[in-house]
Each structure stands twice: as structure tokens, then as C-alpha cells.
Amino acid sequence: MIKRRITAIIPAYNEASSIAQTVESLRAQTEPFSDIVVVDDCSTDDTAAIAEALGVRVLRPPINTGSKAGAQTFALDFVRTEFCIAIDADTQLAPDAVEKVMASFDNQAVAAACGFVLPRFVHSVWERGRYAEYLFAFSFYKPIQEYFGKPMISSGCFSAYRTDVLRRVGGWSNRTMAEDMDLTWTLYQHGYEVRFVPEAVCYPIEPHNLHFLAKQLKRWSHGFVQNVRTHWRGIIHVPYLRLMVAVGIWDAVIASLAYLVVLPALALFVHPLFLLGYLIDLPAVAVPILLAGIRRGEFLKAILSLPCFLVIRLVNAAFMLRAVWSEFVLGKSLLVYEKGH
Amino acid sequence: MAGLPGTGLGGIFYALLIVWMAVREIWLLVRKRSSQERWRAIATFWLILAVIVAVLAGEFWFIQYALQNWISPVEAQNAYIYQYLQAVTPTLIVTPFLILGTMLMLLHLATWLLTPPIDSVTPSSS
């Protein structure tokens, strides 16, 4: 195995309850880190004290940076290794995740690589919905994107980067609410490659109730629209990505209108049978989800989560429509970063 | 993508990408840039796609059967629904492909008309 020098960057704001588990999972990696940096973004809890007690380097910006992007870019100045990996403070990695994801960098053109994301806890409706959603996205959409060399996002909760490239493009920007998507599309426009490694698995804590889910979806939906607005002219020249984004925005608007306006109207004014429209694609969606569930030995969990997928999809639709309306029509951009839990 | 609501046009688009993979890989094979690993991945995607198509075909057969045999005799209104579905089904099948085709053409046209603003893509963190 090639010995690579890697720094872990963990942005943290009030993460006292999860930071120790994250650091422990990094220490248990088959490919060790040269340095583990926790960016304590002026937390008001014991995040910094816990991290220091674990013996990792703790950085503290003079004032709260206001976003994950800000905290990560602050840490970038202190990175002295060829590679760095950004990991959310609530995310645990499978023991071989770093080794698997770093293999992508044998190709010199690769600037970033990400792995398979699965919720750590799957109890509430929202966590179950997200579990099914991730199984679908990471076992169907993303491997197809990877085949064409254009994963749409190098996931913010766990991604590896070449440090020099990251510095060259200015680090993580806080101009949008989805800094991971922003960075990925920026890398493509500069001619770099991004990889998705399904064998590298990470486990973030997902929102367990509607209150926190709403904050996360608000960020994601506005972030997507803001990135389309920021990058549309550049990504038009990136093959495959342009189509994936165009189809994504089409689905975001049309599917949302269908779920929230057209189907209820048809059910109300024409016939209640139109409510079956909510289920029409469920068998098709179920195939990749259940296959991924079988592969992971989690068939029961996958099948029980399917109804929750339908629920979370409706919530996604509401937030997406609101974001499109707010950003494109009203011209009101979301500027304040709120944590999802 | 997680957080996006739709699987409609997106689903069809990704299904078409799976079909396109085989064509693309043959082209790569001719240029000696293909690999067994990639063909294995394509075979897996085709298998998944075949199951999805089979499941959807089964679903549409079941809907038609249910409307014809269970529901339509009950009330005239349901017969109207059945006729309505019969009428709109071809449109529902053709429309996504038309939209995708138009999107593809417009995007290609845009690549000729617009120059990439490479200087403006560099993020400026503050």
C-alpha cells in the first residue's frame, strides 16, 4: 500500500455529543492520518475540550465563520499534507473507508473522491426516508454518474481532496448553501476529475425530526438552486454534468408541482383514483433500493423504509418549490447557514 | 440525488444513460480503452434496468386489468377514467422523450453560443 500523507479536517460547532465517536472512527482507519484537525467554530459547548482530550489538533477561528465552508477553508491554511479529507463532526467512517477512497488518487487527474453515505441511525420516519433515499441515490444514480466520470456531488460529509488543487480553487466557498456541490462543479470546470467509490462507506447522523430536517432541506434546496444560478454558464461546457443538472432542475420543479398541485387537484376535481399517482413509480424505485438492501444484508430495513421514502419525497418537493420560487422569482437568496441538527 | 423530489424524467434519463453505456463502451472497445471491469458494471446496470422495466410492465398490466375487470363495471365514472387513461397513456410515454430530446438539443446549442467563464468560477471565500 502506498503511504500517503493525509490530514483530516473536522468542522465542528457544538458537536460535543458526537465529536469523540468521529475522532475514534478516524483513528481506527486501516490507512492512518498524519494529522487530525478539529475546527472548533466558536462552540458554546465542550466540543474543543473533548477534542483536545482526545489528543487531536484543535483550531479556533477568532470569530464564528458562519458556515461549514468557512470553518473548513480556515483549516486549509494549516494543512501540510498532500491530501486532506473533510469529515462532518457527526460522521463515522467504516474502518477501510479512507483506504478505499484514497485509491482513486492513483490517477493524477483526480482532485476529489467521495464514498457511499448511509444514515447511522434509522429509527424515525425521516431517518427511514433518508435511508431509502440514500440507498436509491448511492446505489443507482451515483454509480451511473461515476461510469460517465461525473458524480454530481462529492458529498460534504466525507470527501478526500488534493490539497494543492483545493488551494488553487480557493477552498470551500460560502457563496452558496451547498459548498460541496459548488466545489465539485468548480473542479469539473477547471478540468479535474471527481470519483465516487461505493466501497468507502460513511455514516452521518441524519435529522431525526421534521424541525431539523426542515433546516437541512432548506439549505440543500436553496444550495442547489444557487449553484445552478452560479455555475450554469460554466457547466454547460461539461459533458454529461450539464444534462444531469438540467434533468435535476426539471424534476425538481415539475415533480414538485405534480406532487403538491396536480395530483391533489385531479383527485379532488376528477377522481380520487388519481391519488395512486403518488405510488406509480414506487415499484421502479423499490428495485434498486431493495437490491442494495439485500447486498448490505438489510433487506427488512430497506423494505420497511420504502413508505417513508414517499413521505420524505413530498417534504423535499415542498422545500424545492419554495427554494425555486424564492431564489428565481422573488430574488431572495438564502444567506444564513443553519445546522441540520 | 438525495433531497430532490423527482424520479420521473430523472428516472427515464438515467435508464437511457444505462442503454447508452453499452453503445459508448463498444466505441471505447474499438479504441482499445474498454475494460472487463466496466463491462461487468454495465451488465449489472442492464440487469437492474431489466428488472425495473419488467416490474413497471407488470404494474401497468395490473392497473389495466384492475380498471377493466374490477372497477369499470361498477360505475360509469370509472369507465371514463379508463378511457381517459387509454387516451393519455401514449402522450405520457412520448412526452418525456420529447422533453429530453429538446433539452439535449438546447444544451448542445448553448455550448456553441456561450463561452465558459472560467475566471468567474473560482470561489472567493470570505
Side-chain angles (χ1 to χ4, degrees), chain A residues 281-300:
Chain A
D281 63 341
L282 186 62
V285 171
V287 172
I289 291 176
L290 295 181
L291 284 176
I294 291 168
R295 268 203 299 267
R296 296 191 53 78
E298 298 171 353
F299 178 74
L300 195 64

Side-chain angles (χ1 to χ4, degrees), chain A residues 210-335:
Chain A
L210 188 57
H211 172 71
F212 290 121
L213 182 79
K215 289 184 178 189
Q216 189 192 53
L217 285 180
K218 193 173 171 188
R219 250 190 8 248
W220 285 6
S221 55
H222 279 265
F224 178 53
V225 178
Q226 289 168 349
N227 272 296
V228 171
R229 199 174 51 202
T230 305
H231 290 284
W232 71 271
R233 208 174 160 142
I235 59 172
I236 268 175
H237 298 273
V238 183
Y240 295 109
L241 179 69
R242 59 178 172 236
L243 257 178
M244 289 164 190
V245 174
V247 168
I249 196 97
W250 174 276
D251 253 0
V253 177
I254 301 301
S256 300
L257 283 172
Y259 296 146
L260 299 176
V261 182
V262 179
L263 285 178
L266 286 172
L268 200 63
F269 299 115
V270 182
H271 197 282
L273 268 179
F274 277 102
L275 287 176
L276 288 174
Y278 287 114
L279 307 175
I280 201 88
D281 63 341
L282 186 62
V285 171
V287 172
I289 291 176
L290 295 181
L291 284 176
I294 291 168
R295 268 203 299 267
R296 296 191 53 78
E298 298 171 353
F299 178 74
L300 195 64
K301 192 155 100 175
I303 204 163
L304 287 175
S305 301
L306 271 176
C308 306
F309 174 81
L310 300 173
V311 179
I312 207 168
R313 191 162 70 168
L314 279 177
V315 182
N316 288 345
F319 277 90
M320 192 48 77
L321 267 191
R322 207 169 83 160
V324 170
W325 182 259
S326 173
E327 297 275 344
F328 281 149
V329 182
L330 301 178
K332 282 186 188 169
S333 203
L334 181 69
L335 301 170

Side-chain angles (χ1 to χ4, degrees), chain A residues 12-15 211-212 215-216 219 337-341:
Chain A
Y13 177 73
N14 290 347
E15 299 282 1
H211 172 71
F212 290 121
K215 289 184 178 189
Q216 189 192 53
R219 250 190 8 248
Y337 187 98
E338 280 189 274
K339 272 179 60 172
H341 73 93

